[in-house]
Amino acid sequence: MLAGLGLESLDDLMEETVPASIGLGRVLDLPDAVPEQVLLERLRSLAAENRLNRSFIGLGYHDTVTPGVIQRNVLENPGWYTQYTPYQAEISQGRLEALLVFQTLTIDLTGLEIANASLLDESTAAAEAMSMFFGEASEEDRNVFFASADCHPQTLAVLETRAEPMGIEVVVGDHRTFRPDHRVFGGLLQYPASDGGVHDCRDFTDAVHAVGGSVVVATDLLALTLLTPPGEWGADAVVGNSQRFGVPMGFGGPHAAFMTADGRFKRKMPGRIIGVSVDAQGNRALRMALQTREQHIRRERATSNICTAQVLLAVVAAMYAVYHGPEGLRRIGERIHGLAHVLATGLERLGHEVLHRHFFDTLRLRISGADQEALRSAAVADRIDLRYFEDGTVGVALDEPTTAHELDRLFAVFNGGIRPDFTAAELAAGTEPAVFPPALARTSAYLEHSVFHAHQSETEMLRYLSRLEARDLSLDFSMIPLGSCTMKLNPTTAMAPITWPEFGRAHPFTPMDRVEGYRRIIADLEAWLGEITGLHAVSLQPNSGAQGEYTGLLTIRAYHTDRADPDRRICLIPSSAHGTNPASAVMAGFDVRVVKVDEAGAIDLDDLRAKAAEHAGRLAAIMVTYPSTAGVFEEEISEVCRIVHEHGGLVYLDGANLNAQVGLARPGDYGADVCHVNLHKTFAIPHGGGGPGMGPVCVNERLAPYLPGHPLAKVGGEKAIGPVASAPWGSASILIISWAYMAMLGRDGLRRASEVAVLSANYMARRLEEHYPVLYRGAKGRVAHEFILDLRPLRKASGITEEDVAKRLIDYGFHAPTMSWPVPGTVMVEPTESESRAELDRFCDALISIRAEVQQIELGLADPRDNALRNAPHTAAAVASDDWTRGYSRDQAAFPAPWTREQKFWPWVGRVDNAYGDRNLVCACPPIEEYGPTTDETGRTIPTKR
């Protein structure tokens, strides 16, 4: 590869690629590499240091049972966890169906009309609903959002963090006595309440509606198998966490939150919405609907963030519901509720007071005969964790794995450590079944679609998961060369520990002295990321890249405010920036001013100087991506930082392209004050079909005091901003993946990974430049770790678009590069360091072959409308059809390259009609006969109405 570039060493390439002014010039102060087997032994030792008690804490997190067929075939399966966000719908039909099932699940259980395909966590989902309602409020003085004190404390804290930059006043109080006025645009309830109480909330909902406001309800999906859905008593939106549907607690995540809403919010709902459409042959096809809401298109006017999803975990939750079906889910809910009823009966017999008459799985108790500390000591002695309220009351939350034996242990704890003269089994035999009153009891049916009734045996579940997996192209099949997305190897050894019970069963609010293994992993990661970025302090709380951007900007905002300079609210952003940048800036309360880029794709320094001087008195920050979005190391990055600092601003560096820098340059050294790090890119956490992700923020000494805190854990700086996520360390269980990846590579391997990523990109650019123009290069003619191919000349000469090329790549067995961004009519290619030369050559060969197919059109040898590119991708059904009438052969359609005869990926559907899906929005599982042709028992096509 080096020979193809006319070079002798990686050092030679780095000298021609990385500006000498920012080169690191030394090795990173990181540990040596650790062999895989040694690493696993070390992780086993760390896991043993998590001395977990049996958790009955609750607070929105519950132990659960992950069915083995789902754990092995989804959560631990690279065919699912190495997928990318389903922008190429034709090769994403499996996960799209799973997400449609997830939406159907949440729609049915909550009783509302539309749903998204997951959000980051329950607290941020509640904040997203608040923002959605605020966007609907028309009056300028309508800025009050009421939140019931019955909500989880972490949710209230995240709401307040989100509200302040937006000018929203959050009022927390008793929803039973609150009287809304015309200033109230919305309200939040918890149902069941954080302390377990189940209340009839209709009066509050009616009162908010009477003043023109909207109500969001945070709920528990399992409880809704027994309780009246919020949509049936007036909720406008419902949010929550699907964690207890088979997803381990994992010390805080990742878990798939959800949002359902009234139909009027369909164009304002955050997150991805999976919709039903049709393909070019009229068959039912799925896709991400209403994508024009998203940040990569609408930027600062977006209502959806493409990063706010937890797809892999939504798939797990959806498949948990499919496996159990409605009857199974109800049985689980009834069993937990019955155990809670038995527990309440026994504790009352022991003299304790159950504070709520109605509850699902959680009790709040006023204890008798002992103080809270004595009870805590007895609980800890029996290795039990409970929830302790400030007023001396105690909470107990039961879950799916709870047993009668554990109830007996709880009875002893609440009886001064002595076993009482009764058992849970005896109480259950003499206790009437728990029944909710009519106002609270669910009477409506749910999960009636056939998908929730057809897969209750492990055999059928395994086959269903296998069928869905086969409809998706993942990294286990071929490279996914998506620019800016860094789709690299997710090492199996790094993935293995996330489902170990010592990590998976940790409650996020477990005392830190009992999760020493997690504490050491967290401390190592903070130190390593600080060394890699050259910055002073790190927060691991943000659980997506966009959350990292938002968090870093909030620290900048807090810094200026703390210095009595609150008017610094101008954020400069280059026009080529990621779409999340301007949207995050607006969400953090900044006013965006766009800086031009020059013909080489670099920041226009003259325009930057002019805008920095113009806004000097109000300049807060610049957001810059490095290497640039154009795929080059800009020579003047230090000057960019100097200009902004000179005018009183700070520098936010988007770390999306850190994979080109590790061990070569450090953002803190060349002038960045804060950057976020995409652990799901540079440090190998899998994308999981569009989530999970992690976006830790690294800051210098001046911003360290403002790193986010949390109401239930000691994290953050001494002047901490509020939390930005439900859990103190975000999606803590997947931090293990990045820790293991970094430990196995060590200081030298991490640098070499970046060097080889740059080598791979330059090698491919050299091979392809004779066939497609490479749009931008650095000062010495090199690209960074990614590069942009200009396809606009193809369109001018032949009418073939970048979409045609992307869909034709599917026939060759490849996912397309990033399309139309950052320049319309182009594709951006990022090969990463994980791919072999053979795979890089195979992808180049595919693009070169496609260029030859385009040339056939240009020469008049192929029809400009009826050709293999315009009709791509080609399904097996289309190629095998008796009425093949194309102007090219079936062989050219299906087997355009030699390797496709050895291993062929067949797309499940033809090209999807995007406009149809948006005009006819359906975001729940429809009866199969309503969409596209279907067949009878002989396989004969039956025409149907669409």
Side-chain angles (χ1 to χ4, degrees):
M1 291 166 66
L2 285 165
L5 298 174
L7 299 171
E8 294 186 357
S9 70
L10 285 171
D11 287 341
D12 292 343
L13 177 59
M14 295 309 109
E15 287 179 10
E16 294 186 2
T17 305
V18 182
S21 60
I22 68 167
L24 186 55
R26 64 172 181 82
V27 296
L28 292 169
D29 184 14
L30 295 174
D32 293 331
V34 177
E36 291 192 29
Q37 187 56 40
V38 175
L39 180 97
L40 285 173
E41 293 170 359
R42 185 176 297 178
L43 278 167
R44 283 293 183 192
S45 297
L46 290 172
E49 293 184 32
N50 290 335
R51 300 180 305 278
L52 302 181
N53 288 356
R54 180 62 167 97
S55 175
F56 297 105
I57 296 172
L59 280 165
Y61 299 92
H62 304 268
D63 203 357
T64 184
V65 178
T66 308
V69 65
I70 296 174
Q71 177 172 316
R72 176 64 60 90
N73 295 288
V74 177
L75 199 54
E76 298 175 344
N77 181 358
W80 283 97
Y81 66 66
T82 67
Q83 300 162 349
Y84 182 66
T85 301
Y87 287 123
Q88 296 293 337
E90 295 82 1
I91 51 175
S92 307
Q93 290 296 298
R95 91 199 75 146
L96 286 168
E97 179 170 326
L99 291 175
L100 192 69
V101 171
F102 179 80
Q103 291 177 179
T104 305
L105 164 70
T106 58
I107 286 171
D108 280 11
L109 288 178
T110 62
L112 282 167
E113 296 177 79
I114 58 170
N116 64 24
S118 75
L119 292 170
L120 293 176
D121 57 39
E122 181 171 328
S123 299
T124 55
E128 294 279 7
M130 176 182 70
S131 301
M132 183 173 74
F133 291 167
F134 189 54
E136 191 184 42
S138 54
E139 298 87 347
E140 290 185 4
D141 63 343
R142 203 173 180 85
N143 71 329
V144 173
F145 186 79
F146 175 83
S148 172
D150 285 345
C151 295
H152 295 315
Q154 67 269 25
T155 297
L156 296 175
V158 169
L159 277 180
E160 290 170 349
T161 302
R162 184 74 65 92
E164 191 273 332
M166 300 176 67
I168 296 173
E169 178 186 350
V170 175
V171 175
V172 179
D174 187 341
H175 68 270
R176 289 165 287 266
T177 60
F178 179 69
R179 298 293 177 263
D181 60 23
H182 72 282
R183 296 176 59 236
V184 174
F185 69 87
L188 170 68
L189 299 168
Q190 189 93 38
Y191 173 80
S194 182
D195 66 359
V198 178
H199 311 291
D200 187 345
C201 301
R202 289 172 173 82
D203 288 346
F204 172 83
T205 304
D206 291 342
V208 173
H209 287 162
V211 298
S214 301
V215 175
V216 57
V217 177
T219 193
D220 180 328
L221 289 178
L222 194 57
L224 295 185
T225 62
L226 306 182
L227 295 173
T228 304
E232 293 181 12
W233 47 260
D236 301 281
V238 179
V239 299
N241 186 357
S242 64
Q243 176 263 313
R244 69 189 311 175
F245 276 40
V247 182
M249 288 187 287
F251 204 43
H255 309 135
F258 64 88
M259 178 186 289
T260 60
D262 183 82
R264 73 181 189 274
F265 291 109
K266 68 181 181 182
R267 295 190 178 275
K268 298 179 180 179
M269 176 177 276
R272 300 167 185 152
I273 297 176
I274 307 308
V276 181
S277 188
V278 294
D279 72 0
Q281 287 74 46
N283 299 301
R284 191 186 79 159
L286 307 177
R287 62 179 288 272
M288 289 200 298
L290 303 176
Q291 291 184 43
T292 53
R293 302 168 300 122
E294 293 193 357
Q295 289 182 349
H296 69 301
I297 295 175
R298 299 202 69 203
R299 301 173 74 81
E300 69 272 16
R301 296 182 300 280
T303 60
S304 172
N305 185 333
I306 60 174
C307 296
T308 52
Q310 301 279 21
V311 171
L312 182 66
L313 298 315
V315 171
V316 171
M319 294 304 106
Y320 179 94
V322 168
Y323 191 47
H324 289 292
E327 297 85 0
L329 292 180
R330 187 174 184 92
R331 281 196 301 271
I332 294 170
E334 288 174 338
R335 179 179 177 276
I336 296 171
H337 181 49
L339 289 171
H341 190 54
V342 170
L343 180 63
T345 301
L347 293 178
E348 286 178 332
R349 182 177 294 191
L350 294 173
H352 306 295
E353 180 186 358
V354 178
L355 297 187
H356 298 298
R357 181 183 177 190
H358 303 299
F359 49 82
F360 169 58
D361 62 0
T362 300
L363 308 180
R364 184 171 184 175
L365 304 150
R366 183 171 289 112
I367 57 179
S368 172
D371 61 22
Q372 192 185 77
E373 284 307 309
L375 180 68
R376 189 196 301 259
S377 296
V380 171
D382 197 20
R383 299 195 63 181
I384 285 174
D385 284 339
L386 304 172
R387 180 179 177 186
Y388 302 97
F389 293 87
E390 292 182 359
D391 65 357
T393 57
V394 178
V396 187
L398 306 186
D399 51 33
E400 184 183 0
T402 301
T403 64
H405 173 67
E406 288 176 331
L407 295 194
D408 290 336
R409 290 171 59 192
L410 287 168
F411 290 144
V413 165
F414 280 88
N415 196 39
I418 302 170
R419 296 276 180 173
D421 60 359
F422 58 83
T423 66
E426 292 167 350
L427 290 178
T431 302
E432 291 294 324
V435 178
F436 288 109
L440 300 175
R442 178 160 198 149
T443 58
S444 55
Y446 51 87
L447 307 189
E448 295 182 292
H449 192 276
S450 60
V451 73
F452 298 106
H453 298 266
H455 310 291
Q456 266 78 71
S457 76
E458 182 170 330
T459 303
E460 289 302 323
M461 190 71 212
L462 177 63
R463 289 170 181 164
Y464 181 54
L465 292 173
S466 180
R467 286 198 298 275
L468 294 185
E469 181 188 346
R471 299 175 188 178
D472 279 21
L473 191 148
S474 305
L475 271 174
D476 65 349
F477 186 88
S478 61
M479 72 182 294
I480 300 180
L482 284 154
S484 188
C485 299
T486 316
M487 297 295 295
K488 64 165 66 179
L489 170 73
N490 311 122
T492 304
T493 296
M495 296 295 297
I498 65 169
T499 52
W500 293 355
E502 298 91 340
F503 292 119
R505 297 189 73 179
H507 192 286
F509 306 132
T510 299
M512 285 300 288
D513 62 355
R514 277 193 265 109
V515 282
E516 182 66 17
Y518 265 121
R519 191 196 66 77
R520 290 176 59 184
I521 288 171
I522 288 167
D524 283 347
L525 269 180
E526 289 175 348
W528 296 348
L529 291 174
E531 169 65 9
I532 287 168
T533 59
L535 292 165
H536 176 72
V538 177
S539 171
L540 300 174
Q541 192 174 119
N543 46 12
S544 80
Q547 285 288 87
E549 293 175 14
Y550 174 65
T551 304
L553 291 168
L554 287 184
T555 66
I556 291 175
R557 177 186 173 94
Y559 168 81
H560 289 307
T561 300
D562 192 39
R563 288 165 50 89
D565 210 354
D567 291 334
R568 288 194 175 273
R569 293 291 184 264
I570 298 293
C571 184
L572 303 178
I573 300 180
S575 60
S576 62
H578 293 148
T580 54
N581 286 180
S584 295
V586 169
M587 193 165 71
F590 292 106
D591 297 323
V592 174
R593 299 293 185 273
V594 177
V595 178
K596 297 176 183 177
V597 295
D598 61 24
E599 292 183 357
I603 294 172
D604 186 322
L605 290 182
D606 290 337
D607 192 52
L608 174 62
R609 291 188 184 98
K611 286 190 168 66
E614 177 187 355
H615 301 293
R618 297 190 63 220
L619 181 60
I622 187 171
M623 296 186 77
V624 58
T625 301
Y626 199 77
S628 75
T629 306
V632 298
F633 281 92
E634 296 184 40
E635 295 286 326
E636 304 298 334
I637 184 62
S638 296
E639 177 65 7
V640 169
C641 297
R642 189 198 65 78
I643 292 169
V644 174
H645 287 151
E646 179 184 342
H647 293 88
L650 300 181
V651 175
Y652 182 95
L653 187 124
D654 185 321
N657 293 341
L658 192 66
N659 204 52
Q661 292 187 75
V662 180
L664 302 174
R666 304 197 307 173
D669 292 348
Y670 54 75
D673 299 284
V674 52
C675 75
H676 86 269
V677 178
N678 294 96
L679 296 186
H680 52 290
K681 297 183 181 182
T682 306
F683 299 108
I685 291 175
H687 286 66
M694 283 288 279
V697 286
C698 309
V699 298
N700 59 17
E701 292 188 58
R702 71 173 90 180
L703 292 178
Y706 309 103
L707 287 176
H710 196 281
L712 300 173
K714 293 181 179 179
V715 295
E718 61 267 25
K719 299 179 180 180
I721 61 172
V724 296
S726 290
W729 291 276
S731 298
S733 69
I734 57 174
L735 295 175
I736 301 167
I737 301 169
S738 293
W739 182 90
Y741 171 84
M742 296 166 77
M744 285 189 289
L745 283 175
R747 78 172 75 82
D748 298 330
L750 286 168
R751 175 187 172 107
R752 186 172 179 83
S754 290
E755 292 172 337
V756 175
V758 172
L759 171 63
S760 296
N762 279 278
Y763 173 77
M764 292 182 74
R766 173 62 62 87
R767 277 213 64 196
L768 292 170
E769 63 187 0
E770 296 179 10
H771 309 277
Y772 303 90
V774 176
L775 200 54
Y776 301 118
R777 296 181 184 271
K780 297 180 180 179
R782 300 300 183 191
V783 298
H785 64 308
E786 60 191 6
F787 58 96
I788 298 173
L789 297 176
D790 193 352
L791 304 189
R792 291 172 295 187
L794 301 187
R795 186 168 195 161
K796 185 176 181 180
S798 67
I800 294 298
T801 68
E802 69 277 13
E803 182 179 16
D804 296 325
V805 173
K807 303 309 180 187
R808 184 58 171 155
L809 274 168
I810 295 173
D811 291 328
Y812 285 81
F814 285 108
H815 195 293
T818 300
M819 287 172 50
S820 302
W821 183 83
V823 180
T826 67
V827 295
M828 182 160 58
V829 180
E830 181 179 358
T832 83
E833 72 280 6
S834 297
E835 302 297 343
S836 67
R837 177 181 172 180
E839 185 72 352
L840 303 183
D841 281 335
R842 200 164 66 90
F843 183 77
C844 290
D845 290 344
L847 280 178
I848 292 168
S849 176
I850 288 173
R851 183 65 186 89
E853 290 180 327
V854 175
Q855 189 174 38
Q856 294 292 300
I857 300 170
E858 294 170 351
L859 296 174
L861 301 176
D863 190 292
R865 288 172 295 278
D866 180 20
N867 56 70
L869 286 98
R870 283 286 182 88
N871 294 324
H874 297 84
T875 65
V879 173
S881 173
D882 289 338
D883 59 350
W884 179 265
T885 58
R886 301 297 185 192
Y888 50 95
S889 71
R890 302 173 196 261
D891 192 67
Q892 181 186 352
F895 303 110
W899 61 82
T900 60
R901 296 185 181 278
E902 298 174 6
Q903 185 182 25
K904 173 67 180 177
F905 181 89
W906 290 103
W908 186 248
V909 297
R911 192 173 304 193
V912 177
D913 186 334
N914 294 323
Y916 179 93
D918 283 353
R919 290 194 307 268
N920 304 274
L921 181 64
V922 175
C923 60
C925 294
I928 189 70
E929 64 272 7
E930 290 187 9
Y931 282 85
T934 188
T935 58
D936 62 16
E937 62 276 7
T938 67
R940 183 177 56 87
T941 299
I942 303 172
T944 58
K945 180 180 179 181
R946 288 203 308 273

